Amino acid sequence: MKNLGMSDFEKDYLLELASEYKKISQTEKNKATIQNWYDINDLKPNTKPLFINHYWPVAKSELFPEDSYICKSGPALNYEKHFKTRMFYINELGDDNVVEPVVTANFGYSIDQFGGLPSKKMIRAEGDDGTGAYELEPIIVKPEDIALIKDPILRYNKEVAKEIFEQTKEIFEPLMTVVKRGSLWASKLGDQFTWFRGMETAYVDMVDNPEWVHELLKVIADKYEKGLNLLAENGLWGNYDLSDPLGSSAGLKYATGIKDYKSVKDGDYFNDKIPFNQSWGGSIAEAFTCVSKDMHEEFSYFYDRKLNECFKYLNIGCCEVLGGRIDLIRKFGNARKISISEWNDYELAAQNIKKDFVYSYKPAGVPFLGDNLDKIAVEKEIRGVLEAVKKHECNAELVLNIGGTLGPNPHKKVREWSELTRKLIEEYYA
């Protein structure tokens, strides 16, 4: 299959988009903003906060309906979405997203983390389209069920992947540098425990039968580690494009000591491997927001620290309320970013983070739900964050990460949010 199955028209159109994309990467503004990301993530003193928009599929589909795209074939459409989304953030919203003159070759592989056992079973209401709330059905019901958890299985055809990589190069090079896109994920050992046991049962377990919990967590951690090593051994770990956000909860990956596409001296991106000690890892335990600090340490962070000690830096958290638990995070020797969700006390989080980590703030999505953006709520929120991080001299980033709907008039709202956020940052850091 030539050109990944794209038509000649699609190929020519993508090259037009790629040319625009590359021009942005070569601007002085783009280069200066990249340096600003390095300064924040390297914890350089007196940095000005940066902000980015980063939308999940539902919100993105509201901004870019399917009929707004030109490409029809799957691979071409994916590249069109990538180029247009990034350029929209930068050109239309004027945020601190940046781009690199690279494009990823996207080839298929999957890892069955528990050797055939599903990671969770979701019970949804009749008629749910897959976006609503759900109940977790327990998978591990009794102690002997732990034996059901097998070693991870990697499904990857390297020959097919190589062919896709070469075809992607034929399309985009020499205009863009083609790199492979590997996996990046954060360990969810504690959350996985709750998925295996069901939420209510898991909370009771931690009180009534902690030995059983530890037995299960040790097995979960072992399978996570084996899966991680499988990805690394096959060259499927890491991302050479540091302009991609760090997962769904944080800003960009630029930091001294993190490998990027420029670090591959011989240009053999397909066979190159990114070491753990030159990449980001992460830890998430959203289900542990409602347990005590001692339980958070005992049943999550104790295991996460061991699994993640191989990485250069870590991003800790997603939607958890971590502002009062920074003392636990200090036990991670390589923690660098901490996700501060909207439910935190802004001042407490900044006071505890100080200059030691990146204060990675996730603005609220509620102001978007009405017909118009609730600007009063947005301004109150962003002022509260900026006052706190400025007072305590925190390195900070704001990541508008909308997982659900933007509501009516999405384009107007995201423009207004970005304009207001930029205005407030400039006011506090003139």
Side-chain angles (χ1 to χ4, degrees):
M1 183 182 294
K2 184 181 178 182
N3 292 341
L4 307 177
M6 300 179 191
S7 67
D8 290 339
F9 170 79
E10 288 176 324
K11 176 183 175 181
D12 291 342
Y13 177 62
L14 288 179
L15 288 175
E16 289 179 16
L17 292 179
S19 180
E20 294 179 46
Y21 193 87
K22 184 173 183 178
K23 286 178 183 177
I24 295 173
S25 76
Q26 296 171 329
T27 63
E28 292 305 314
K29 180 181 183 299
N30 190 76
K31 295 174 183 177
T33 306
I34 288 175
Q35 183 57 56
N36 292 339
W37 280 108
Y38 272 108
D39 291 345
I40 283 180
N41 292 333
D42 286 346
L43 302 181
K44 182 178 178 180
N46 304 314
T47 59
K48 182 168 72 173
L50 299 176
F51 80 97
I52 62 171
N53 293 266
H54 178 49
Y55 303 120
W56 287 27
V58 171
K60 196 179 294 185
S61 69
E62 293 169 341
L63 292 167
F64 298 99
E66 286 301 313
D67 61 6
S68 69
Y69 295 107
I70 291 175
C71 295
K72 302 302 179 184
S73 68
L77 180 59
N78 287 335
Y79 285 118
E80 181 183 4
K81 289 180 177 181
H82 170 73
F83 290 136
K84 283 187 172 178
T85 301
R86 287 291 192 85
M87 290 193 287
F88 174 73
Y89 292 157
I90 295 170
N91 294 335
E92 302 296 326
L93 303 185
D95 69 4
D96 293 308
N97 271 291
V98 298
V99 297
E100 296 280 12
V102 302
V103 64
T104 55
N106 305 315
F107 40 78
Y109 60 90
S110 65
I111 187 162
D112 189 335
Q113 192 66 56
F114 302 109
L117 192 69
S119 64
K120 65 171 72 170
K121 287 185 179 179
M122 296 175 285
I123 304 174
R124 296 187 179 276
E126 185 176 351
D128 190 307
D129 64 357
T131 62
Y134 56 85
E135 179 185 353
L136 287 170
E137 179 181 345
I139 297 172
I140 303 298
V141 179
K142 49 190 182 298
E144 51 264 36
D145 289 344
I146 293 179
L148 299 173
I149 306 174
K150 306 298 184 182
D151 284 349
I153 300 169
L154 176 66
R155 296 180 175 87
Y156 170 51
N157 188 319
K158 190 171 183 178
E159 291 182 6
V160 172
K162 178 68 172 178
E163 181 180 356
I164 292 172
F165 187 84
E166 293 300 330
Q167 287 189 33
T168 308
K169 289 177 66 175
E170 290 175 8
I171 294 168
F172 290 105
E173 290 191 350
L175 179 63
M176 306 279 278
T177 297
V178 174
V179 300
K180 62 183 173 182
R181 183 181 184 87
S183 288
L184 284 171
W185 48 259
S187 62
K188 296 186 176 184
L189 305 182
D191 284 347
Q192 182 60 59
F193 155 64
T194 67
W195 300 342
F196 272 154
R197 289 289 287 150
M199 297 294 289
E200 297 89 347
T201 307
Y203 293 134
V204 173
D205 286 343
M206 287 187 278
V207 175
D208 288 352
N209 201 346
E211 294 83 5
W212 146 250
V213 177
H214 284 298
E215 183 181 354
L216 181 52
L217 280 168
K218 288 175 184 176
V219 175
I220 293 171
D222 174 66
K223 304 314 178 191
Y224 260 84
E225 183 176 12
K226 287 179 178 176
L228 184 62
N229 287 331
L230 269 178
L231 292 171
E233 290 163 6
N234 287 274
L236 298 173
W237 172 261
N239 190 341
Y240 296 91
D241 183 0
L242 303 187
S243 71
D244 271 351
L246 183 56
S248 62
S249 65
L252 308 187
K253 304 186 189 77
Y254 296 97
T256 300
I258 298 296
K259 186 170 182 175
D260 69 358
Y261 78 99
K262 298 174 187 173
S263 306
V264 184
K265 293 185 170 39
D266 60 1
D268 186 3
Y269 295 99
F270 185 79
N271 292 305
D272 187 69
K273 297 179 181 180
I274 297 180
F276 294 140
N277 63 4
Q278 295 180 34
S279 63
W280 289 85
S283 166
I284 297 174
E286 293 173 304
F288 280 66
T289 289
C290 55
V291 306
S292 69
K293 286 176 62 175
D294 288 344
M295 284 185 170
H296 201 153
E297 164 64 20
E298 180 179 356
F299 300 114
S300 174
Y301 283 164
F302 174 80
Y303 294 93
D304 285 319
R305 280 199 303 275
K306 290 184 177 181
L307 181 63
N308 287 293
E309 63 185 3
C310 57
F311 295 109
K312 177 70 174 179
Y313 299 123
L314 297 181
N315 175 54
I316 307 290
C318 187
C319 292
E320 300 98 308
V321 179
L322 296 177
R325 301 186 176 187
I326 307 304
D327 55 326
L328 300 183
I329 295 172
R330 290 184 183 280
K331 296 180 181 180
F332 287 83
N334 50 356
R336 180 52 57 98
K337 291 180 186 274
I338 301 177
S339 181
I340 303 300
S341 58
E342 63 191 273
W343 302 283
N344 279 268
D345 179 319
Y346 313 139
E347 170 75 16
L348 176 65
Q351 179 182 336
N352 289 335
I353 286 175
K354 299 183 175 67
K355 304 177 183 180
D356 303 330
F357 308 99
V358 177
Y359 187 117
S360 182
Y361 183 68
K362 294 180 66 173
V366 172
F368 289 84
L369 295 180
D371 289 338
N372 297 296
L373 180 70
D374 187 344
K375 293 182 181 179
I376 294 175
V378 171
E379 180 166 353
K380 180 180 179 182
E381 174 193 21
I382 303 302
R383 281 192 184 277
V385 172
L386 294 176
E387 287 172 3
V389 298
K390 187 173 179 64
K391 175 181 177 182
H392 295 284
E393 302 181 49
C394 302
N395 288 47
E397 62 187 22
L398 291 83
V399 182
L400 182 61
N401 182 338
I402 301 293
T405 181
L406 288 164
N409 307 309
H411 280 268
K412 181 173 180 288
K413 288 176 183 174
V414 297
R415 283 184 168 85
E416 289 176 345
W417 185 90
S418 298
E419 289 171 3
L420 181 53
T421 300
R422 172 68 71 196
K423 176 184 174 183
L424 291 171
I425 291 175
E426 295 299 335
E427 176 184 330
Y428 280 86
Y429 291 81

